[in-house]
Amino acid sequence: MNIFELMSEHDYEQVIYFSDNETGLKGITVIHNTVLGPSLGGARLWNYESEEEALRDCLRLARGMTYKSACAGLNLGGGKTVLIGDANTVKSEAYFRAFGRYINGMGGRYITAEDVNTSTKDMNYIHMETNHVVGLEGKSGNPSPFTALGAFYGIKATLKHKFDNDEISDYSYAIQGVGQTGFNLVKLLVEHKAQKILYTDINQKNIEQVKEAYPELEFVEPEKFFGSDVDVLVPCALGGVLNDESIPQITAKCIAGTSNNVLLDEKKHAQMLRDKDILIAPDFVINAGGVINVYHEIQGYRKDAVISEVKLIYDRLLEIYQIADEQDITTLQAAKVFAKNRINSIKNVKVKYNEPR
Ligand code: NAD
């Protein structure tokens, strides 16, 4: 493995390894791009099979954060941390405080947040050693309602582009996963009088929650989800669900939901959907409500400002769909073009000397 080669392939700025024998802390922080602002990305704790696997995951996730924040219109760059270890045994106050001291040493170039196997409580330990952490208890709170709100506006933009009409009540929807984001989306779709809503899940408790709140909605078996006879599929569960097996079953014209990494193979499956004339909202654009919410912790949190910014996902998606049409590319490729355009244009603004703020 040649780390510099990996870094130069996608223009990474910095890779930082850190280790602390006392606490068992072992991790990597990748800073992909800081043109727009400090890099922000969660700290994922995972028992990776090898250091190479950990590094590759961190590189991929950090770059994803650059695109996500750039498309969300935030003044943030992309970064990520992977902590290598078994979440059941390594976690302790000392472990996260040791990590916090390393983050502090990065001088604000990287801001951390919670991710897989790390929690708000862990962020509070990190905060004892550094201010470069968001997602703290009593601050911006649970991001899921904002992620759902962003996805709601994303669905509207997708309808607008596909049918030139974004009236929620004129269409039918099938939602995969009625957990934190999916249930909030169901609420919004019901409030806006969606024509028909189907839903599926594998968690009985979450299914019961929908049954109780909205007995009129129809449950569909998980394996029948992709063939649902609706206008919009709304994936709000796991990644990789759009693949060789599921795509041929789809009759819906639009896909727009909160799921991360929803395409199993980004290139191949985005193209398969395009060939079937199915419009998909790029996941990292439509599900950016959560990162917008947490960003406002840095700015001085105001809920009304968060909501206004989350609603802009509508306009950004329309721009991205237009790029895809004009350049004859997938919407996923178009989102990356949109992100790179914003980074490059701001880079040019920053070349002129100005007094530091
Ligand atoms: P969640 O765990 O609260 O809900 C996911 C739901 O999907 C659960 O009810 C689960 O039982 C269900 N599910 C899992 N596999 C399924 C299957 N095969 N068929 C049907 N249902 C299935 O998670 P969430 O926070 O709502 O996140 C959903 C997706 O959105 C994830 O991909 C997540 O990474 C992404 N996302 C979430 C946020 C956020 O703010 N929570 C932000 C950005 C992206």
Side-chain angles (χ1 to χ4, degrees), residues 143-144 147 177 179-181 201-203 206 236-238 258-260 287:
S144 306
T147 305
Q180 297 232 54
T181 57
D201 205 298
I202 50 170
N203 175 322
N206 290 348
C236 299
L238 300 179
T258 61
S259 290
N260 262 326
N287 71 19

Side-chain angles (χ1 to χ4, degrees), residues 16-304:
I16 303 147
Y17 282 72
F18 49 87
S19 148
D20 180 57
N21 283 346
E22 296 287 323
T23 59
L25 176 73
K26 207 162 83 171
I28 308 169
T29 295
V30 170
I31 297 174
H32 175 242
N33 184 294
T34 57
V35 170
L36 295 174
S39 66
L40 181 139
R44 176 168 295 195
L45 173 53
W46 197 255
N47 219 348
Y48 290 97
E49 300 259 310
S50 67
E51 286 173 23
E52 178 167 348
E53 189 195 5
L55 174 64
R56 284 187 188 276
D57 203 30
C58 202
L59 289 165
R60 177 181 67 83
L61 294 165
R63 188 155 59 98
M65 286 308 297
T66 297
Y67 293 137
K68 185 167 195 160
S69 288
C71 285
L74 304 178
N75 291 320
L76 285 177
K80 198 81 187 180
T81 294
V82 296
L83 300 169
I84 304 167
D86 180 350
N88 296 316
T89 54
V90 294
K91 283 175 126 194
S92 68
E93 176 185 346
Y95 178 92
F96 285 105
R97 289 184 69 165
F99 175 39
R101 291 184 79 83
Y102 280 112
I103 296 171
N104 209 48
M106 295 174 203
R109 282 176 49 73
Y110 169 70
I111 300 168
T112 202
E114 66 181 272
D115 199 86
V116 177
N117 285 328
T118 57
S119 66
T120 311
K121 186 176 148 204
D122 304 330
M123 296 307 117
N124 285 343
Y125 289 140
I126 293 169
H127 190 225
M128 291 178 185
E129 303 295 337
T130 184
N131 285 326
H132 306 305
V133 51
V134 289
L136 300 166
E137 244 158 23
K139 291 265 182 110
S140 65
N142 182 356
S144 306
F146 298 97
T147 305
L149 184 70
F152 175 77
Y153 282 95
I155 290 172
K156 278 176 79 71
T158 308
L159 291 170
K160 177 77 184 162
H161 189 78
K162 189 74 190 170
F163 304 115
D164 198 25
N165 166 19
D166 69 0
E167 201 52 64
I168 291 289
S169 59
D170 288 342
Y171 303 97
S172 54
Y173 308 82
I175 296 157
Q176 184 191 42
V178 284
Q180 297 232 54
T181 57
F183 186 68
N184 277 299
L185 251 178
V186 168
K187 267 194 221 166
L188 288 165
L189 293 172
V190 170
E191 272 167 32
H192 289 79
K193 304 194 169 21
Q195 210 179 68
K196 179 169 85 171
I197 302 175
L198 310 180
Y199 67 98
T200 189
D201 205 298
I202 50 170
N203 175 322
Q204 204 50 41
K205 201 173 124 240
N206 290 348
I207 295 171
E208 289 305 323
Q209 190 184 8
V210 179
K211 265 194 192 157
E212 213 167 281
Y214 307 108
E216 70 281 15
L217 305 189
E218 193 181 321
F219 179 79
V220 55
E221 292 300 332
E223 59 279 9
K224 301 226 170 98
F225 171 76
F226 291 99
S228 300
D229 180 20
V230 292
D231 301 304
V232 190
L233 290 185
V234 187
C236 299
L238 300 179
V241 296
L242 295 172
N243 51 42
D244 289 347
E245 209 183 301
S246 60
I247 294 174
Q249 300 172 39
I250 301 176
T251 56
K253 286 285 162 220
C254 302
I255 304 176
T258 61
S259 290
N260 262 326
N261 304 317
V262 71
L263 298 158
L264 184 62
D265 178 325
E266 277 195 3
K267 247 192 189 154
K268 179 182 178 192
H269 296 122
Q271 190 56 46
M272 271 174 82
L273 291 172
R274 191 158 176 265
D275 294 342
K276 284 188 66 154
D277 202 21
I278 297 169
L279 184 61
I280 178 167
D283 50 7
F284 59 85
V285 182
I286 191 169
N287 71 19
V291 75
I292 293 172
N293 182 51
V294 98
Y295 170 73
H296 278 259
E297 250 182 54
I298 308 168
Q299 299 289 93
Y301 193 76
R302 269 185 35 225
K303 193 174 167 187
D304 56 339

Side-chain angles (χ1 to χ4, degrees), residues 336-347:
K336 290 179 184 174
V337 170
F338 179 90
K340 284 177 189 164
N341 286 348
R342 176 158 180 255
I343 293 169
N344 288 333
S345 64
I346 302 303
K347 195 192 268 179

